[in-house]
Amino acid sequence: MSRYLSPTLQDLVPYTPGDIPRRRSVLKLNTNENPYPPPTPVIEAVRRVADRLQLYPDPNCLKLRQAAAEYYELEPDQIMAGNGSDENLFFALRAFCDAGRPLARPDVTYGCYGVWCGLMHIPQHIIPLEKDFTLDPTRYYDLNETIVIANPNAPTGLALPPEAIGEIAARNPDGVVIVDEAYVDFGARSCVPLIRDHENLLVVQTFSKSRQMAGARLGFAMGNKELIADLERVRNSLNPYNVNQMTQAAGIASLQCEGYFRETCRQVIETREWAAQELVRRGFVVTDSRANFLFARTPKMLSRVLFRELRQRAVLVRYFDEPRTEHWLRITVGTKEQMEILLQRLDKILKEA
């Protein structure tokens, strides 16, 4: 670091994204991307606006928010569009946390929450998951702090029913409850219908996973209009043109491709269940994932060693070198053909070991 960096940031540990390989021959199962391409109407929508890039995009994303409101059965002023769900989550922490209002979160969850707290000097109330990685909702009752829960959780893939999160919101009337639903379309139930019952509930979703748009960066924050107005105040103070023209057009088109969306989610779920069974058959322990990844470990080899062995064989998975996750690997669900390659290389590694 340079001598000019603010002393308040010298201890900041940035988030580490999954590796992006330069060789196409690498099997990339480390960043939870969708293995299927976007539907044709999404690609065509992007092409139609590509000749207008000299113009700023609509800063209010009005047409996109109207399309999303119709899809989610909300009003446009209950929705804010963001540059991926990460931006919406960051804005939410900036809006609803400060030195006097900490962020309550699980100890094993999406790593960016802790990084953003460090960046913005937000104190954290870290609540351990249970030994089996489940989340006990009662530990979040009566905190009246800002709460964030990834549901399904990352990297475990486990999910709570919406009723449990609704009860957390009800038991914390003076704090905002943020639900990060990045993976909800792969087998969990969304909390969006609960927005009308809980004024302190904010639901964040992304188009990166289930809608094949990780490269376009689009997400929505949804809640009552007062919460969304708070987020808009932050957004317009930092990045008013945050969603580009091509992404806005792609998002509208994606919301109209319901059949393709449902079918590709079904295929991912089907492949996930098959791959989980195959891993269990090989002696792995696998959590009951409701996401587009598997969280797995084997007693036959240390996970950090298995991670390196797979990498040497051109297979990328994710390893988190932390006390509670050091024995586990997170494996993105690809196509069945990709998962077969993974299993073949696992078999070879374990046989040699």
Side-chain angles (χ1 to χ4, degrees), residues 3-79:
R3 61 190 177 92
Y4 304 105
L5 182 67
S6 167
T8 63
L9 297 180
Q10 289 180 0
D11 294 329
L12 181 67
V13 180
Y15 178 74
T16 303
D19 291 342
I20 299 178
R22 297 183 179 180
R23 292 181 294 142
R24 289 185 177 270
S25 59
V26 173
L27 181 55
K28 190 173 184 292
L29 302 177
N30 64 332
T31 50
N32 300 340
E33 294 154 319
N34 199 303
Y36 302 104
T40 300
V42 170
I43 298 171
E44 292 175 345
V46 171
R47 288 174 177 158
R48 284 196 296 271
V49 300
D51 62 349
R52 301 202 297 272
L53 295 185
Q54 76 276 20
L55 304 175
Y56 283 108
D58 173 13
N60 297 313
C61 300
L62 182 57
K63 291 182 179 179
L64 175 60
R65 286 168 47 237
Q66 288 173 336
E70 181 176 353
Y71 182 86
Y72 291 105
E73 299 182 349
L74 298 171
E75 297 299 323
D77 60 3
Q78 293 180 288
I79 300 173

Side-chain angles (χ1 to χ4, degrees), residues 18-294:
D19 291 342
I20 299 178
R22 297 183 179 180
R23 292 181 294 142
R24 289 185 177 270
S25 59
V26 173
L27 181 55
K28 190 173 184 292
L29 302 177
N30 64 332
T31 50
N32 300 340
E33 294 154 319
N34 199 303
Y36 302 104
T40 300
V42 170
I43 298 171
E44 292 175 345
V46 171
R47 288 174 177 158
R48 284 196 296 271
V49 300
D51 62 349
R52 301 202 297 272
L53 295 185
Q54 76 276 20
L55 304 175
Y56 283 108
D58 173 13
N60 297 313
C61 300
L62 182 57
K63 291 182 179 179
L64 175 60
R65 286 168 47 237
Q66 288 173 336
E70 181 176 353
Y71 182 86
Y72 291 105
E73 299 182 349
L74 298 171
E75 297 299 323
D77 60 3
Q78 293 180 288
I79 300 173
M80 186 183 79
N83 190 287
S85 60
D86 278 351
E87 186 179 59
N88 289 327
L89 290 162
F90 179 86
F91 287 161
L93 266 60
R94 185 64 188 88
F96 306 121
C97 296
D98 54 35
R101 186 177 293 276
L103 181 72
R105 66 170 179 88
D107 61 334
V108 179
T109 191
Y110 183 35
C112 273
Y113 305 149
V115 172
W116 294 329
C117 285
L119 181 63
M120 294 185 281
H121 311 296
I122 296 169
Q124 300 183 69
H125 178 187
I126 299 175
I127 303 172
L129 296 176
E130 304 305 298
K131 289 184 179 180
D132 60 358
F133 294 121
T134 57
L135 184 149
D136 180 357
T138 64
R139 293 194 177 201
Y140 292 81
Y141 290 175
D142 307 317
L143 299 179
N144 289 318
E145 301 169 342
T146 301
I147 295 169
V148 64
I149 295 173
N151 197 54
N153 193 24
T156 67
L158 300 178
L160 288 172
E163 296 81 8
I165 293 178
E167 185 61 22
I168 292 173
R171 294 291 294 266
N172 290 278
D174 296 324
V176 174
V177 176
I178 306 164
V179 188
D180 180 357
E181 293 189 341
Y183 304 100
V184 73
D185 296 318
F186 298 108
R189 291 161 54 206
S190 176
C191 290
V192 170
L194 301 182
I195 288 172
R196 63 177 64 92
D197 301 320
H198 302 283
E199 65 176 3
N200 60 333
L201 185 65
L202 185 73
V203 181
V204 177
Q205 291 193 5
T206 181
F207 277 34
S208 294
K209 317 299 182 184
S210 58
R211 290 189 179 271
Q212 304 93 16
M213 285 176 53
R217 313 306 300 132
L218 177 63
F220 290 122
M222 295 171 279
N224 77 64
K225 62 182 181 180
E226 287 80 13
L227 285 185
I228 299 303
D230 294 339
L231 293 182
E232 291 284 11
R233 178 186 291 261
V234 175
R235 182 184 70 84
N236 283 310
S237 300
L238 178 66
N239 191 13
Y241 298 104
N242 61 327
V243 182
N244 68 69
Q245 286 198 42
M246 293 183 290
T247 295
Q248 290 189 37
I252 293 169
S254 178
L255 289 167
Q256 297 169 350
C257 295
E258 184 70 6
Y260 186 86
F261 162 68
R262 295 294 176 190
E263 175 57 22
T264 51
C265 285
R266 185 197 65 78
Q267 291 182 45
V268 170
I269 293 169
E270 185 176 283
T271 303
R272 179 191 69 207
E273 297 306 299
W274 171 81
Q277 292 174 6
E278 288 297 312
L279 287 171
V280 170
R281 194 165 64 84
R282 288 163 169 80
F284 280 76
V285 176
V286 183
T287 62
D288 184 20
S289 175
R290 289 294 177 265
N292 67 334
F293 57 80
L294 293 167

Side-chain angles (χ1 to χ4, degrees), residues 305-316:
V305 176
L306 184 54
F307 166 77
R308 290 197 298 264
E309 291 292 330
L310 284 168
R311 188 184 182 87
Q312 291 176 5
R313 290 164 174 79
V315 178
L316 297 182

